[in-house]
Amino acid sequence: MAWLRLQAVAAVLALVAGAGVSHGFEFHEATVEAIHLGFTNGSLTSAALVQFYLDQISRLNPLLRAVIEVNPDALLEARAADARRRTSGGRLLGALDGIPVLLKDNMATRDKLNTTVGSLALLGSVVRRDAGVVTRLRQAGAVVLGKANPTEWCNIRRVDNGWSARGGQTLVIKLALNFYYVMKINISHIGRFVF
């Protein structure tokens, strides 16, 4: 219990430390509309947005273990989105043009990312095509940032919530469950962590 509290304090301090960094664009809790406005007025690029989130993952994920894998092509995809908007006069490919998204590791992607549902047994397997939802996200212009750490096999096996062999125990889920049991309150939905 004390270890979880210490981890929670460390996570909060890490978030606070990163909040003071000035980028000219307010990244924290930015809406899609604010991001589009930043693209339009030149205060933001997809590459800068993706790099911001990659830095956040690099800084916080060793503690939180919320991201199981980062897309090695995320910055290339972001730069391509920036170039596409530049050459088209700012026209957006779709509602998510150049905006990074994290996918749960049970969503198939036909790229360099693994689709393992958190299991080591599927590491290195190759899927035939993107899942339907991934295809629609890409058509809308989304940049796939990586895969989120799911409960292994998405709770088909009996394991702790938020634990997978590939990613370990996510701190966010562990803290939420700990809060639930300690406070004995009814939580109908545990929200996902957003960087």
Side-chain angles (χ1 to χ4, degrees), residues 31 60 95-96 101 103-104 136 161 181:
T31 63
L60 298 172
L96 296 174
V101 296
L103 304 173
K104 193 172 179 180
R136 290 189 293 280
N161 276 329
Y181 290 117

Side-chain angles (χ1 to χ4, degrees), residues 36 39 46 81 84-85 91-99 140-142:
H36 283 167
F39 291 161
S46 295
R84 186 175 53 244
R85 279 193 308 279
R91 196 175 126 265
L92 298 174
L93 179 63
L96 296 174
D97 191 18
I99 296 176

